[in-house]
Short mmCIF file of all heavy atoms in Angstrom, two decimals:
data_model
loop_
_atom_site.label_atom_id
_atom_site.label_comp_id
_atom_site.label_asym_id
_atom_site.label_seq_id
_atom_site.Cartn_x
_atom_site.Cartn_y
_atom_site.Cartn_z
N MET A 6 34.55 0.67 -15.07
CA MET A 6 34.91 -0.72 -14.75
C MET A 6 34.27 -1.16 -13.44
O MET A 6 33.85 -2.31 -13.31
CB MET A 6 36.44 -0.84 -14.66
CG MET A 6 37.15 -0.66 -15.99
SD MET A 6 36.62 -1.89 -17.22
CE MET A 6 37.20 -3.40 -16.44
N LEU A 7 34.16 -0.23 -12.48
CA LEU A 7 33.46 -0.56 -11.24
C LEU A 7 31.98 -0.78 -11.51
O LEU A 7 31.34 -1.63 -10.86
CB LEU A 7 33.65 0.55 -10.21
CG LEU A 7 35.06 0.72 -9.65
CD1 LEU A 7 35.10 1.90 -8.68
CD2 LEU A 7 35.54 -0.55 -8.96
N VAL A 8 31.43 -0.02 -12.47
CA VAL A 8 30.03 -0.22 -12.85
C VAL A 8 29.84 -1.64 -13.38
O VAL A 8 28.85 -2.32 -13.07
CB VAL A 8 29.60 0.82 -13.91
CG1 VAL A 8 28.18 0.52 -14.42
CG2 VAL A 8 29.66 2.23 -13.33
N ALA A 9 30.78 -2.11 -14.18
CA ALA A 9 30.71 -3.46 -14.73
C ALA A 9 30.84 -4.51 -13.62
O ALA A 9 30.13 -5.53 -13.61
CB ALA A 9 31.79 -3.67 -15.78
N VAL A 10 31.75 -4.27 -12.67
CA VAL A 10 31.91 -5.20 -11.55
C VAL A 10 30.64 -5.24 -10.71
O VAL A 10 30.17 -6.32 -10.30
CB VAL A 10 33.12 -4.79 -10.68
CG1 VAL A 10 33.14 -5.58 -9.38
CG2 VAL A 10 34.42 -4.99 -11.45
N LEU A 11 30.07 -4.06 -10.44
CA LEU A 11 28.81 -4.01 -9.69
C LEU A 11 27.74 -4.81 -10.42
O LEU A 11 26.92 -5.49 -9.79
CB LEU A 11 28.37 -2.56 -9.49
CG LEU A 11 27.18 -2.31 -8.56
CD1 LEU A 11 27.29 -0.94 -7.88
CD2 LEU A 11 25.85 -2.38 -9.30
N ALA A 12 27.75 -4.74 -11.74
CA ALA A 12 26.75 -5.46 -12.52
C ALA A 12 26.87 -6.97 -12.34
O ALA A 12 25.85 -7.68 -12.24
CB ALA A 12 26.89 -5.11 -14.00
N ILE A 13 28.09 -7.48 -12.30
CA ILE A 13 28.28 -8.91 -12.08
C ILE A 13 27.73 -9.31 -10.72
O ILE A 13 27.03 -10.32 -10.57
CB ILE A 13 29.77 -9.28 -12.19
CG1 ILE A 13 30.29 -9.00 -13.61
CG2 ILE A 13 30.00 -10.74 -11.82
CD1 ILE A 13 31.79 -9.16 -13.76
N ALA A 14 28.05 -8.50 -9.69
CA ALA A 14 27.54 -8.78 -8.35
C ALA A 14 26.02 -8.64 -8.31
O ALA A 14 25.33 -9.41 -7.63
CB ALA A 14 28.19 -7.84 -7.34
N ASN A 15 25.48 -7.65 -9.02
CA ASN A 15 24.04 -7.43 -9.11
C ASN A 15 23.35 -8.68 -9.64
O ASN A 15 22.37 -9.17 -9.07
CB ASN A 15 23.80 -6.22 -10.03
CG ASN A 15 22.36 -5.77 -10.07
OD1 ASN A 15 21.44 -6.47 -9.67
ND2 ASN A 15 22.14 -4.56 -10.60
N ALA A 16 23.87 -9.21 -10.76
CA ALA A 16 23.29 -10.43 -11.33
C ALA A 16 23.46 -11.61 -10.39
O ALA A 16 22.52 -12.41 -10.20
CB ALA A 16 23.95 -10.72 -12.68
N GLY A 17 24.64 -11.73 -9.79
CA GLY A 17 24.87 -12.83 -8.86
C GLY A 17 23.96 -12.77 -7.66
O GLY A 17 23.46 -13.80 -7.19
N GLY A 18 23.72 -11.55 -7.14
CA GLY A 18 22.82 -11.40 -6.01
C GLY A 18 21.42 -11.88 -6.31
O GLY A 18 20.74 -12.48 -5.46
N ARG A 19 20.94 -11.65 -7.53
CA ARG A 19 19.60 -12.08 -7.92
C ARG A 19 19.48 -13.60 -7.93
O ARG A 19 18.49 -14.16 -7.45
CB ARG A 19 19.27 -11.51 -9.30
CG ARG A 19 19.21 -9.99 -9.31
CD ARG A 19 19.15 -9.42 -10.72
NE ARG A 19 19.38 -7.96 -10.68
CZ ARG A 19 18.57 -7.06 -11.22
NH1 ARG A 19 17.50 -7.44 -11.87
NH2 ARG A 19 18.85 -5.78 -11.12
N ILE A 20 20.50 -14.26 -8.47
CA ILE A 20 20.46 -15.72 -8.53
C ILE A 20 20.67 -16.33 -7.15
O ILE A 20 19.94 -17.24 -6.74
CB ILE A 20 21.54 -16.22 -9.51
CG1 ILE A 20 21.23 -15.71 -10.93
CG2 ILE A 20 21.63 -17.73 -9.50
CD1 ILE A 20 22.34 -15.98 -11.94
N ILE A 21 21.66 -15.82 -6.41
CA ILE A 21 21.96 -16.37 -5.09
C ILE A 21 20.78 -16.17 -4.14
O ILE A 21 20.37 -17.10 -3.44
CB ILE A 21 23.23 -15.72 -4.51
CG1 ILE A 21 24.45 -16.13 -5.34
CG2 ILE A 21 23.43 -16.13 -3.05
CD1 ILE A 21 25.70 -15.32 -5.03
N ALA A 22 20.21 -14.97 -4.12
CA ALA A 22 19.10 -14.69 -3.21
C ALA A 22 17.88 -15.54 -3.56
O ALA A 22 17.16 -16.01 -2.67
CB ALA A 22 18.74 -13.21 -3.24
N GLY A 23 17.64 -15.73 -4.87
CA GLY A 23 16.53 -16.60 -5.26
C GLY A 23 16.71 -18.01 -4.76
O GLY A 23 15.79 -18.62 -4.21
N TRP A 24 17.92 -18.53 -4.91
CA TRP A 24 18.23 -19.89 -4.47
C TRP A 24 18.16 -20.01 -2.94
O TRP A 24 17.55 -20.93 -2.40
CB TRP A 24 19.61 -20.28 -4.97
CG TRP A 24 20.02 -21.68 -4.65
CD1 TRP A 24 19.73 -22.81 -5.36
CD2 TRP A 24 20.81 -22.11 -3.53
NE1 TRP A 24 20.28 -23.92 -4.75
CE2 TRP A 24 20.95 -23.51 -3.63
CE3 TRP A 24 21.41 -21.44 -2.46
CZ2 TRP A 24 21.67 -24.26 -2.70
CZ3 TRP A 24 22.12 -22.19 -1.52
CH2 TRP A 24 22.24 -23.57 -1.65
N VAL A 25 18.77 -19.05 -2.25
CA VAL A 25 18.79 -19.09 -0.78
C VAL A 25 17.38 -18.94 -0.22
O VAL A 25 16.97 -19.66 0.71
CB VAL A 25 19.71 -17.99 -0.22
CG1 VAL A 25 19.55 -17.87 1.29
CG2 VAL A 25 21.16 -18.28 -0.58
N SER A 26 16.60 -18.01 -0.78
CA SER A 26 15.26 -17.76 -0.23
C SER A 26 14.31 -18.93 -0.45
O SER A 26 13.36 -19.11 0.30
CB SER A 26 14.66 -16.48 -0.83
OG SER A 26 14.35 -16.65 -2.21
N ASP A 27 14.56 -19.75 -1.49
CA ASP A 27 13.78 -20.97 -1.67
C ASP A 27 14.03 -21.94 -0.53
O ASP A 27 13.20 -22.83 -0.27
CB ASP A 27 14.15 -21.66 -2.99
CG ASP A 27 13.49 -21.02 -4.21
OD1 ASP A 27 12.47 -20.30 -4.03
OD2 ASP A 27 13.98 -21.24 -5.34
N ARG A 28 15.14 -21.77 0.17
CA ARG A 28 15.53 -22.71 1.22
C ARG A 28 15.33 -22.19 2.64
O ARG A 28 14.87 -22.93 3.50
CB ARG A 28 17.00 -23.12 1.00
CG ARG A 28 17.14 -24.10 -0.16
CD ARG A 28 18.48 -24.06 -0.86
NE ARG A 28 18.50 -25.06 -1.93
CZ ARG A 28 17.90 -24.89 -3.12
NH1 ARG A 28 17.27 -23.76 -3.39
NH2 ARG A 28 17.95 -25.85 -4.02
N ILE A 29 15.66 -20.92 2.90
CA ILE A 29 15.53 -20.43 4.28
C ILE A 29 14.35 -19.48 4.46
O ILE A 29 14.08 -19.04 5.57
CB ILE A 29 16.82 -19.74 4.76
CG1 ILE A 29 17.04 -18.41 4.04
CG2 ILE A 29 18.02 -20.66 4.59
CD1 ILE A 29 18.19 -17.58 4.62
N GLY A 30 13.65 -19.15 3.38
CA GLY A 30 12.51 -18.24 3.47
C GLY A 30 12.84 -16.86 2.94
O GLY A 30 13.99 -16.42 2.98
N ARG A 31 11.81 -16.19 2.42
CA ARG A 31 12.03 -14.88 1.79
C ARG A 31 12.44 -13.81 2.80
O ARG A 31 13.41 -13.10 2.62
CB ARG A 31 10.75 -14.42 1.06
CG ARG A 31 10.10 -15.45 0.16
CD ARG A 31 10.92 -15.81 -1.05
NE ARG A 31 10.15 -16.70 -1.91
CZ ARG A 31 10.66 -17.65 -2.67
NH1 ARG A 31 11.97 -17.87 -2.71
NH2 ARG A 31 9.87 -18.40 -3.41
N THR A 32 11.66 -13.67 3.88
CA THR A 32 11.93 -12.56 4.80
C THR A 32 13.22 -12.77 5.60
O THR A 32 13.88 -11.80 5.96
CB THR A 32 10.74 -12.33 5.75
OG1 THR A 32 10.40 -13.57 6.41
CG2 THR A 32 9.52 -11.83 4.98
N SER A 33 13.58 -14.03 5.84
CA SER A 33 14.87 -14.27 6.50
C SER A 33 16.01 -13.82 5.61
O SER A 33 17.00 -13.23 6.07
CB SER A 33 15.02 -15.76 6.83
OG SER A 33 14.05 -16.18 7.75
N THR A 34 15.89 -14.08 4.32
CA THR A 34 16.90 -13.63 3.37
C THR A 34 16.92 -12.11 3.29
O THR A 34 17.99 -11.48 3.20
CB THR A 34 16.64 -14.24 1.99
OG1 THR A 34 16.46 -15.65 2.10
CG2 THR A 34 17.80 -13.95 1.04
#
């Protein structure tokens, strides 16, 4: 179940980081 929870965060991190890095820059993120 923790593996599944980590997976949700894993997917969320990919989307959030992509969105944030488009705005503040890749290396800052």
Side-chain angles (χ1 to χ4, degrees):
M6 292 300 296
L7 292 178
V8 174
V10 169
L11 188 150
I13 297 173
N15 187 344
R19 296 169 192 233
I20 296 172
I21 293 168
W24 183 85
V25 170
S26 69
D27 281 340
R28 285 152 178 78
I29 70 171
R31 312 293 186 212
T32 53
S33 296
T34 309

